[in-house]
Amino acid sequence: MELTTWYLEQTDAAQIRPGREPSVPVEVRRAEVASPELSRFLYTAVGGDWFWTDRLAWTWAQWQEWLTRPGVETWVASVRGTPAGYVELDGRLPGAVEIAYFGLLPQFAGQGLGGRLLTEGLRRAWRLADRWPHQTAISRVWVHTCSLDGPAALANYRARGMTLYRTEVTPSSQPAEPPGPWSGAGPRTTP
């Protein structure tokens, strides 16, 4: 099996093309208190069906250490108080912000929330230096996605004004099934 990875970027905040208004009211707020429990929940709930496995073995202490690094932020979308998705920003490098993780819980897909959350995530990324005194002015926001991610991911990034700057095709040794949101559960069969 081959894995295709696409790298996309913006080099100016004016390149953001806002998503449509969602069909349900959504609130996007920063999780300002580092919470390994919340971040691990979001990571597995969103990524369990998409082969997100690199952080599954992280201990509580590893999550805490990551979340307290200057420039790392978690922005949570919620619908009527229920977490619906998140965007994790990694602004540790001078002048650049990576959208490290982004996605929705499956039951919130198809309602326009992905476009809205990505729009808000990009806006927050471009203003990250305002919240972190060590950071220089942001001149680049970037992300990578791959053929194992959700089917709407690449299209959403492009629709929000991100441009493709590199594509890689590599062999993949992923298992046939993603891990699912709970250890040993496998992927969800219904939303």
Side-chain angles (χ1 to χ4, degrees):
M1 178 176 166
E2 288 187 335
L3 175 70
T4 303
T5 304
W6 299 278
Y7 295 83
L8 301 99
E9 67 182 351
Q10 286 183 340
T11 55
D12 191 308
Q15 294 172 316
I16 298 172
R17 292 194 304 257
R20 68 178 166 89
E21 194 60 32
S23 62
V24 295
V26 62
E27 179 181 19
V28 179
R29 295 191 62 180
R30 181 175 165 207
E32 293 186 47
V33 177
S35 173
E37 298 86 355
L38 174 64
S39 290
R40 190 174 196 290
F41 158 73
L42 291 167
Y43 177 83
T44 58
V46 170
D49 291 335
W50 306 115
F51 294 97
W52 292 9
T53 59
D54 56 316
R55 294 185 180 181
L56 290 178
W58 279 17
T59 65
W60 186 95
Q62 287 173 299
W63 278 100
Q64 181 70 12
E65 191 273 329
W66 171 255
L67 295 169
T68 56
R69 289 181 182 185
V72 172
E73 297 181 345
T74 302
W75 291 84
V76 182
S78 60
V79 173
R80 296 192 318 266
T82 301
Y86 81 115
V87 58
E88 181 182 282
L89 303 178
D90 179 358
R92 295 174 298 141
L93 296 178
V97 178
E98 177 186 5
I99 297 174
Y101 288 93
F102 166 81
L104 299 174
L105 279 74
Q107 64 266 39
F108 294 100
Q111 301 173 47
L113 286 132
R116 170 72 186 280
L117 177 57
L118 183 54
T119 299
E120 294 303 316
L122 287 165
R123 288 176 176 156
R124 283 8 184 246
W126 280 107
R127 293 193 301 260
L128 189 128
D130 297 341
R131 296 182 299 277
W132 296 96
H134 80 284
Q135 178 59 278
T136 58
I138 304 304
S139 59
R140 179 176 181 252
V141 176
W142 70 281
V143 67
H144 73 273
T145 188
C146 73
S147 51
L148 295 175
D149 280 340
L154 181 60
N156 191 16
Y157 292 127
R158 294 181 110 167
R160 302 292 71 77
M162 300 192 84
T163 56
L164 185 67
Y165 69 91
R166 186 169 84 215
T167 302
E168 293 178 353
V169 178
T170 57
S172 175
S173 59
Q174 289 289 4
E177 295 287 326
W182 289 281
S183 179
R188 287 176 268 243
T189 55
T190 60

